Amino acid sequence: MSKRYFINNLDSPLGQEFYSQLVKEETDEGVHMATYTIDDPNKMPPKGFKKILKRYKPKLSRKKMLEECDVYVYDVASATQTDLDFVCDIFRNSKTTLEEQKVLILVSSVLTWSAMPDKVKPKVEKKPDEEQEGEQQEQQEQQQKKDEPDADENQEPKDDENQDQEQEQQQIQQQPINEVPEVIEYVPWEENDYKLRSASAQYSQLKEWEDMVLSLQKENLKVIVVCAGLIYGKGELLFQKYFKKAWLQQPYKLSYQPDGNNKVPTVHITDLVKMIVKVSESIPESNYIFAVDNTQDRTQKAIIQGIATGVGSGWIEQNDDFFKDFTPEEMDCFRLHLDCKPSQMFIGNEETPSDFEWHCEKGIAVNAKKILQEFTTIHKLRPIKIIMESKAENMRFQDILTMISDHYRIPVINQEQIFKDAQDPNYVFPSEIQEDFNEYWPTIQEYIDSQAPAQLSEQLKIYYKVIKWRLSQNDCQNRGFILQNFPNHFEEADFIFYPNKQKLKMKKKPKKKPVVTEEEQKPPQEPAVDENGDPIEQEQPEDQQQDEPQQEEAQEEEQQEEEQQEDEQEGGPKPEDFFPESYIVIKPLGKTDNFEYNRKLINFFSERNLDAYFIDPRKKTNHDTFEDLRIYIERNGRPYNYLQNEKELIVLYFNLQRIKDLTIKYTRKQSIQIWKEITKVKKDKRQDLVTKYTKYIEEQEQELQQVKQFPFRNYLMDFVVPVLNEGLVEVAHILPDDPVEFLAEYLYKRSFNVDNE
């Protein structure tokens, strides 16, 4: 960079990216200047910068800026009205004379176009020559109509019927023709249309700042407004919440605004800084530049789908609850609709191609993986990949698994879960192995149930490919996983965690010959002959078909040999990205200490610098076991991963330990007091129960005394004899096989209604 830059607010996101671009140059002394958002007199200028100017020294700042800087960069996202007034006053001052070319760049936003409708394609007007030709044709037609009556005088008169038909045709021709509605075509807005731009009320100040800077006119001063799209990249600013939700897959599906068809201009922050440098080095004629990427599909729905596919689960939906934690400014950005054309200075055309070096030319959807890499690097995110093994599974082992999974937000995966996910419609299963998977699934199921080593076959090739596919999904690649009691032996570990592309390559199935119908059968061609009439020998197509597989096999062998040579040169084959970083063996929770370890599997990982960690949880609580495993898992550093703060974990641990100590040190006196309170409560309950039963017995005795006082004969005549007579009548009518049992059942049923009667 041959220019000397002044960056307003170097500690802003744009200023930080500008600094990373400027320090790439190897300079012995600092040549650039800047300010910070808050003045700090003790802060030294960073590498490449000569001086940090202070706002409380305006005269010195004005002098230094004019004498020692060529390009002045102000960003509306971090600047204030005072900052812009200060720089405008410098160049408005009549005493200020610019001996060298100066460039003032205001980095604005596409929100200054937020109130603009779609641009309608202008109609193409007819040229004057075409209008004259049309008038001449009309005059010739009128002259022909005048000459027609003279020619008709020499003809014989027509019949009345013919005259009526001609009149009807003339009336039809004279009827007005319904006009076809014109089709409205829309075209993108161009940077030359900036005088027509209109902003909504909440962003009108940004437009006023643009107009204020554009109104500056001074000799040797070039004012340029760089209208930037919505900025993304380097940890994310506007799209940070989207990337966080997609990385965590919470919720599982990302959401978009009402219909998602609004066009949203975007630009990577690295490309934006490069554009500013390009504009300052090669000053354009226009004072207004669109700094947006060259995305093919700018719709909001396509952008969100790109984030979901490259970072999250791959699924999107329309859900208003998704935007509860979004600010109104963020909502306005996602609702923005502006179809604008990138500047020719950056994309060029066929006649004048551009030499601009893009970082993310095709936008978020195409470069989602690259943006994710920047996002994880800046936020210190990395996957936690664990293998946990325990021969004796029980509820406590599952509790420990759940605690680790919930803390690190990683899925627990076993063999059954992998193949359930393969059949889950939420996952996009690879089509190249779908048919083979459906064919070999019963055999794969038998192998999973047996858990015994087996020789590599076509079925196991599909088995390993499915496992590799599941471990390469975004949730495992981003956050990690816990493999529960898997792999079972070192052969599985080798095929899963190392490429082995040639070994896992499927044999080609013979292609089915197409069925040829009688209509499609063609008569045999006559053999070709030479000049003497002798037949010419032709190569048979079957020989060619036999040669093709041999050539393919030879090419595959050559590729395999080349890969083996590369691996030998590099010191051995490289593992897959999902190779585990922690191998935990939990001893059984029974009383016995005898435990048969999987020695071959332990040695396999030990040879690859991954030693197993053995833990005995029998004399520990679940929380103590979790803390031991957490320290082991984070032995190489604790990732950010949106985890619970380590200080909160320490407070939680001390609270649990305090409760434990208080329980152990609880005094006998307090225990006796608690026992007395519990005994008193039980005694009160028993006394209440005795009182209740005593009262019930007294009521029953009173009822019995009343019955005894009533004459027994009268009681029988009033209540028993009528019912007995009715029962005997029923016996006489029905004539049951067992009259006594029938009568007893009848009297028993009527006994419930005696009180009511």
Side-chain angles (χ1 to χ4, degrees):
M1 300 178 186
S2 59
K3 302 286 187 178
R4 298 171 298 175
Y5 287 87
F6 168 79
I7 311 299
N8 186 58
N9 295 335
L10 188 63
D11 52 348
S12 66
L14 184 66
Q16 289 295 307
E17 181 60 23
F18 226 112
Y19 171 74
S20 64
Q21 295 288 334
L22 293 177
V23 297
K24 290 181 180 179
E25 294 187 352
E26 297 181 359
T27 55
D28 298 335
E29 297 180 358
V31 294
H32 310 296
M33 294 188 182
T35 59
Y36 284 121
T37 306
I38 299 175
D39 291 338
D40 187 357
N42 299 323
K43 208 164 190 178
M44 300 299 294
K47 178 184 175 182
F49 281 76
K50 184 177 181 180
K51 190 174 182 61
I52 298 297
L53 302 180
K54 309 298 187 297
R55 289 184 174 84
Y56 58 82
K57 296 180 179 179
K59 293 183 179 180
L60 178 62
S61 299
R62 180 183 291 109
K63 181 179 179 182
K64 292 288 186 181
M65 288 173 63
L66 287 174
E67 293 179 356
E68 303 182 23
C69 294
D70 303 320
V71 181
Y72 311 89
V73 180
Y74 282 78
D75 178 20
V76 296
S78 61
T80 62
Q81 184 70 49
T82 306
D83 294 338
L84 295 176
D85 290 340
F86 175 74
V87 70
C88 290
D89 290 342
I90 292 176
F91 295 111
R92 283 201 191 102
N93 191 349
S94 59
K95 297 181 180 180
T96 304
T97 57
L98 304 178
E99 298 178 358
E100 298 178 354
Q101 179 70 46
K102 305 290 183 180
V103 181
L104 174 61
I105 297 177
L106 179 67
V107 183
S108 184
S109 172
V110 289
L111 293 173
T112 57
W113 297 67
S114 55
M116 293 297 291
D118 287 332
K119 182 180 179 181
V120 180
K121 185 178 181 180
K123 297 179 181 179
V124 180
E125 299 180 357
K126 292 184 179 181
K127 297 180 181 179
D129 297 340
E130 294 179 356
E131 294 178 356
Q132 292 179 1
E133 291 179 358
E135 293 177 357
Q136 292 178 0
Q137 289 180 358
E138 290 179 359
Q139 292 177 1
Q140 291 177 1
E141 290 176 358
Q142 292 176 1
Q143 186 65 30
Q144 289 177 0
K145 289 180 181 179
K146 291 179 180 179
D147 297 340
E148 283 179 0
D150 298 336
D152 292 340
E153 290 178 357
N154 299 328
Q155 295 179 358
E156 295 180 359
K158 296 182 180 180
D159 298 336
D160 296 338
E161 295 179 358
N162 295 337
Q163 291 178 358
D164 295 339
Q165 291 178 358
E166 290 180 357
Q167 291 177 359
E168 290 178 359
Q169 291 178 358
Q170 291 177 0
Q171 291 177 0
I172 292 170
Q173 292 176 357
Q174 292 176 359
Q175 289 179 356
I177 301 174
N178 294 329
E179 296 182 356
V180 179
E182 296 182 0
V183 179
I184 300 176
E185 297 184 13
Y186 298 101
V187 294
W189 289 100
E190 297 180 1
E191 51 198 25
N192 295 329
D193 303 323
Y194 74 92
K195 294 182 180 179
L196 304 175
R197 72 194 188 286
S198 175
S200 53
Q202 57 268 39
Y203 301 107
S204 59
Q205 186 180 19
L206 299 182
K207 183 177 178 296
E208 292 175 0
W209 287 354
E210 288 184 355
D211 295 336
M212 180 178 68
V213 173
L214 290 171
S215 63
L216 293 176
Q217 293 182 357
K218 198 173 190 65
E219 188 178 358
N220 290 333
L221 175 65
K222 179 65 175 180
V223 177
I224 301 173
V225 173
V226 176
C227 184
L230 302 184
I231 302 175
Y232 63 89
K234 294 298 179 71
E236 298 311 308
L237 301 173
L238 177 63
F239 292 91
Q240 181 178 0
K241 293 178 181 177
Y242 263 112
F243 271 80
K244 177 182 176 182
K245 291 174 184 291
W247 192 87
L248 293 172
Q249 293 190 12
Q250 294 177 358
Y252 187 75
K253 297 180 180 180
L254 298 183
S255 182
Y256 51 87
Q257 288 292 322
D259 59 355
N261 294 325
N262 56 309
K263 295 186 176 181
V264 182
T266 55
V267 65
H268 194 282
I269 191 169
T270 301
D271 288 326
L272 176 59
V273 171
K274 289 183 177 180
M275 291 174 180
I276 296 171
V277 174
K278 175 76 173 177
V279 168
S280 62
E281 298 286 341
S282 304
I283 301 175
E285 296 181 0
S286 176
N287 292 335
Y288 204 93
I289 300 295
F290 270 137
V292 297
D293 53 30
N294 195 18
T295 307
Q296 298 299 323
D297 189 356
R298 296 186 183 277
T299 59
Q300 179 204 162
K301 193 173 183 179
I303 294 173
I304 304 306
Q305 182 64 64
I307 297 174
T309 304
V311 183
S313 64
W315 294 89
I316 61 174
E317 63 178 355
Q318 203 283 319
N319 184 8
D320 294 336
D321 294 337
F322 181 87
F323 301 97
K324 287 182 178 179
D325 57 341
F326 282 66
T327 62
E329 292 77 11
E330 291 172 339
M331 298 292 288
D332 291 339
C333 292
F334 293 121
R335 292 194 189 103
L336 174 68
H337 175 66
L338 178 64
D339 186 11
C340 60
K341 186 178 181 180
S343 177
Q344 293 294 328
M345 191 174 186
F346 309 124
I347 61 173
N349 50 37
E350 296 179 355
E351 298 179 357
T352 57
S354 176
D355 58 349
F356 185 75
E357 296 181 0
W358 285 91
H359 180 69
C360 291
E361 181 179 4
K362 299 302 180 181
I364 296 176
V366 178
N367 299 283
K369 291 295 183 183
K370 183 188 293 185
I371 302 168
L372 174 63
Q373 184 63 34
E374 299 173 352
F375 183 77
T376 55
T377 301
I378 290 177
H379 291 284
K380 298 179 181 179
L381 309 176
R382 64 178 176 87
I384 306 295
K385 298 165 287 188
I386 307 171
I387 296 177
M388 290 190 67
E389 179 184 342
S390 178
K391 294 297 181 183
E393 294 189 26
N394 54 23
M395 289 301 296
R396 193 173 173 196
F397 174 69
Q398 293 297 329
D399 291 342
I400 296 171
L401 265 178
T402 304
M403 291 176 70
I404 296 175
S405 173
D406 293 343
H407 177 72
Y408 291 108
R409 296 188 177 95
I410 53 180
V412 178
I413 299 175
N414 51 36
Q415 286 175 308
E416 295 179 357
Q417 186 63 41
I418 288 174
F419 289 94
K420 283 182 181 178
D421 294 341
Q423 299 171 2
D424 191 345
N426 290 331
Y427 289 91
V428 181
F429 196 68
S431 58
E432 59 268 15
I433 61 175
Q434 179 71 56
E435 184 178 352
D436 294 331
F437 174 74
N438 295 334
E439 180 181 352
Y440 296 131
W441 169 239
T443 310
I444 294 173
Q445 184 68 45
E446 294 177 2
Y447 172 75
I448 294 174
D449 296 337
S450 66
Q451 293 187 355
Q455 293 183 353
L456 186 63
S457 60
E458 296 298 305
Q459 294 86 343
L460 289 185
K461 289 179 182 178
I462 295 297
Y463 168 78
Y464 291 127
K465 285 185 177 181
V466 172
I467 294 173
K468 285 175 174 285
W469 161 80
R470 179 62 187 92
L471 296 180
S472 62
Q473 296 301 299
N474 285 337
D475 57 346
C476 295
Q477 289 288 312
N478 295 338
R479 304 194 306 277
F481 53 82
I482 300 176
L483 287 181
Q484 178 184 357
N485 290 330
F486 181 74
N488 297 307
H489 39 83
F490 75 94
E491 290 89 354
E492 285 187 344
D494 183 42
F495 283 115
I496 292 171
F497 297 118
Y498 284 86
N500 295 310
K501 294 180 180 179
Q502 295 299 329
K503 293 181 181 179
L504 297 180
K505 191 165 187 178
M506 300 292 293
K507 293 181 180 179
K508 292 186 177 181
K509 297 181 180 180
K511 295 182 179 180
K512 297 180 180 180
K513 295 182 179 180
V515 180
V516 181
T517 60
E518 295 180 356
E519 297 178 357
E520 295 177 350
Q521 290 180 353
K522 296 181 180 179
Q525 298 180 357
E526 297 181 358
V529 296
D530 57 8
E531 296 177 355
N532 300 327
D534 297 331
I536 299 174
E537 294 183 359
Q538 296 182 352
E539 294 181 358
Q540 297 180 359
E542 294 180 358
D543 297 340
Q544 296 177 358
Q545 294 178 0
Q546 293 177 359
D547 293 340
E548 290 178 358
Q550 295 177 358
Q551 294 177 358
E552 292 179 358
E553 291 177 0
Q555 292 177 358
E556 291 176 1
E557 291 177 358
E558 291 178 359
Q559 290 179 359
Q560 187 173 0
E561 291 178 358
E562 291 177 358
E563 290 179 358
Q564 290 179 356
Q565 292 177 359
E566 291 178 358
D567 293 339
E568 291 176 358
Q569 293 175 358
E570 296 175 359
K574 293 183 179 180
E576 297 279 9
D577 294 337
F578 44 80
F579 189 84
E581 60 182 21
S582 300
Y583 182 28
I584 300 171
V585 179
I586 297 180
K587 294 182 179 180
L589 304 177
K591 296 181 180 180
T592 179
D593 291 333
N594 297 326
F595 179 43
E596 296 181 359
Y597 299 106
N598 193 340
R599 298 292 182 183
K600 292 184 178 180
L601 188 61
I602 292 172
N603 292 336
F604 172 84
F605 287 110
S606 179
E607 292 172 357
R608 288 153 181 82
N609 300 323
L610 179 58
D611 295 328
Y613 179 72
F614 298 91
I615 186 170
D616 188 356
R618 289 179 294 180
K619 297 181 181 180
K620 299 180 180 179
T621 63
N622 285 355
H623 187 268
D624 292 338
T625 304
F626 164 74
E627 282 296 321
D628 290 346
L629 294 178
R630 185 181 69 83
I631 293 171
Y632 164 70
I633 293 168
E634 299 172 6
R635 63 194 182 279
N636 297 324
R638 178 176 173 83
Y640 177 67
N641 286 21
Y642 303 105
L643 302 179
Q644 191 174 6
N645 191 357
E646 198 165 5
K647 293 182 180 179
E648 295 177 0
L649 291 175
I650 294 172
V651 172
L652 177 62
Y653 176 76
F654 278 112
N655 289 338
L656 292 174
Q657 194 67 29
R658 184 182 178 187
I659 293 171
K660 184 179 178 180
D661 295 339
L662 289 174
T663 304
I664 295 173
K665 295 179 181 179
Y666 211 59
T667 60
R668 178 178 175 79
K669 183 178 179 180
Q670 290 172 331
S671 300
I672 294 172
Q673 184 67 28
I674 292 174
W675 178 81
K676 287 181 179 180
E677 292 177 358
I678 293 172
T679 305
K680 183 180 179 181
V681 171
K682 290 182 178 180
K683 186 177 180 180
D684 293 341
K685 287 184 178 180
R686 288 177 183 176
Q687 187 65 34
D688 293 341
L689 190 62
V690 169
T691 305
K692 182 179 179 181
Y693 281 134
T694 303
K695 186 177 180 181
Y696 177 74
I697 292 170
E698 290 176 355
E699 291 176 356
Q700 293 296 323
E701 288 178 351
Q702 291 177 3
E703 291 180 1
L704 184 62
Q705 290 296 331
Q706 292 177 1
V707 171
K708 287 181 179 181
Q709 293 176 3
F710 193 77
F712 186 66
R713 182 179 181 83
N714 294 338
Y715 175 79
L716 292 176
M717 294 301 295
D718 291 341
F719 298 106
V720 178
V721 173
V723 178
L724 183 62
N725 288 335
E726 292 177 2
L728 293 173
V729 172
E730 290 293 329
V731 170
H733 281 297
I734 297 175
L735 298 176
D737 295 337
D738 191 349
V740 176
E741 183 178 358
F742 177 82
L743 183 61
E745 289 289 338
Y746 181 81
L747 293 175
Y748 177 73
K749 292 178 181 179
R750 289 293 303 273
S751 66
F752 293 104
N753 299 327
V754 171
D755 294 336
N756 297 331
E757 294 176 356

